[in-house]
Amino acid sequence: MNVTLTQLRYLVAVARHGSVTGAAKMLNVSQPSISVAIDAVEKNFGQKLFVRQRGSGVSPTSFGRAVVAKARQVLTETDELVGLGSSKSAVGGELVLGCFEDLAPFFAPALIRAFSERYPAVKIVVRDETFETLGRRLSDAAIDLGLTYDLSLPTHFARILLRELRPHALLPAGHALADRSEVSLADLAAYPLITTDQPHSWQHMLDLFRSRGLSPVADTTTSSFELQRSMVANGFGVAVSYTRPHGDRSYDGLPLICKPLSDPLPKQRILLTYDTHQRVSNAALAFIDVAKGWFDSHDIFASASETA
């Protein structure tokens, strides 16, 4: 059986992008070249590697996931072998970082900059992910590491703690609760609750209220964290959040009031995660080390005890 390194790179690129078109663009090759390579490898193995779905790209079969995982391992070891003569001999190749969409703009650029300064030979690719797609893409070997909250992860995924956060309340300026030093979930439950439509996120927020025997009215959902903040700032309701941008104003410039919660609630955790069923590259291990150091040395999300 004869499978080339170029074919393996094509397979990994297709798995990571979920389409031949995306892989071709990343690799700067023609789509037919990648399609021919996939067909050749499938013929060698006598099994399908990808399921082609009209209008929605491709996804790996169970056998394809195993092949892609092994291909990533071979390519990583090849890149490390090529780099043996350099001062950063053990760290090279490509690293694909999947970031939960609410956390990506806060941390991904700074982490990549810090990592690239130490390991310039590693090419980093960043992907925005939802809670639903993150775990699947890690299992499919489409991404190497995930930066996310500790929600909805499979039990066999590694969890590297970066920071613990307390939730805080979001209120519009002039709200009846705005002058208090802190508020309770019971206080908030008297007002319309605005949540995002990310399933694990809104379920987690409602569970916080239910743990206190409360049933808030949550009839407004938004497609993003920033839209949620703007809806609060415009007086449509209140919200609970862990994430807090620098500068407590919404996209349309209106002020937001952030208040700590008085309830003894569990902290939420920001993690790096990976599928322990997959081989962890030296680049991924190095990124974990850099990320831990970066979070240890930086203050994140201004204290929720400060008001806007």
Side-chain angles (χ1 to χ4, degrees):
M1 184 173 294
N2 183 22
V3 178
T4 68
L5 289 177
T6 297
Q7 289 172 330
L8 294 182
R9 292 190 189 280
Y10 288 178
L11 296 181
V12 170
V14 170
R16 282 177 169 166
H17 286 271
S19 73
V20 173
T21 301
K25 183 178 180 181
M26 184 191 79
L27 297 171
N28 196 28
V29 299
S30 67
Q31 293 183 43
S33 297
I34 294 182
S35 296
V36 168
I38 293 174
D39 290 341
V41 177
E42 289 180 337
K43 183 177 180 180
N44 270 330
F45 283 114
Q47 296 191 52
K48 285 289 185 181
L49 301 179
F50 297 97
V51 177
R52 295 163 177 81
Q53 300 171 329
R54 184 184 298 273
S56 58
V58 300
S59 59
T61 63
S62 57
F63 178 72
R65 285 193 291 271
V67 171
V68 169
K70 181 59 68 173
R72 289 177 62 245
Q73 179 180 340
V74 171
L75 293 172
T76 296
E77 291 175 348
T78 300
D79 290 335
E80 292 171 358
L81 177 63
V82 170
L84 281 177
S86 70
S87 60
K88 300 292 185 182
S89 59
V91 183
E94 181 182 81
L95 174 68
V96 181
L97 176 67
C99 296
F100 174 56
E101 55 194 349
D102 286 358
L103 294 177
F106 296 100
F107 304 120
L111 290 174
I112 292 170
R113 183 177 69 246
F115 181 78
S116 296
E117 289 172 354
R118 289 181 58 182
Y119 302 101
V122 180
K123 177 184 178 182
I124 303 181
V125 179
V126 181
R127 305 273 184 240
D128 281 351
E129 304 288 349
T130 65
F131 287 126
E132 287 68 39
T133 62
L134 184 71
R136 184 174 70 250
R137 295 188 189 280
L138 284 166
S139 296
D140 289 347
I143 58 179
D144 302 301
L145 287 173
L147 177 67
T148 185
Y149 287 121
D150 191 7
L151 292 172
S152 76
L153 295 174
T155 56
H156 69 278
F157 274 31
R159 290 165 168 79
I160 297 96
L161 177 63
L162 298 176
R163 186 64 58 89
E164 291 185 321
L165 302 172
R166 295 186 182 278
H168 60 270
L170 287 177
L171 309 169
H175 193 275
L177 302 175
D179 290 335
R180 299 189 183 185
S181 60
E182 59 183 15
V183 298
S184 68
L185 291 179
D187 295 330
L188 296 177
Y191 301 92
L193 181 68
I194 300 173
T195 64
T196 65
D197 61 5
Q198 301 148 338
H200 296 286
S201 178
W202 67 255
Q203 185 64 55
H204 174 74
M205 292 305 175
L206 291 181
D207 285 344
L208 292 180
F209 283 89
R210 289 167 182 160
S211 70
R212 311 297 292 173
L214 302 169
S215 299
V217 176
D219 56 0
T220 301
T221 61
T222 65
S223 59
S224 69
F225 173 57
E226 282 302 333
L227 181 54
Q228 178 191 42
R229 296 175 79 246
S230 290
M231 292 291 285
V232 171
N234 279 275
F236 289 97
V238 300
V240 175
S241 178
Y242 294 98
T243 308
R244 184 178 181 182
H246 291 282
D248 291 318
R249 288 186 177 271
S250 60
Y251 266 15
D252 55 357
L254 296 179
L256 284 157
I257 305 298
C258 295
K259 294 292 181 178
L261 293 170
S262 59
D263 305 80
L265 299 172
K267 294 180 181 179
Q268 183 53 271
R269 310 197 306 164
I270 298 177
L271 307 173
L272 277 175
T273 184
Y274 59 86
D275 186 343
T276 58
H277 293 165
Q278 307 281 359
R279 179 183 181 274
V280 185
S281 68
N282 287 329
L285 293 174
F287 190 91
I288 291 170
D289 182 64
V290 169
K292 290 169 66 177
W294 188 92
F295 271 86
D296 286 344
S297 61
H298 287 77
D299 291 327
I300 65 168
F301 299 160
S303 170
S305 64
E306 302 170 3
T307 58

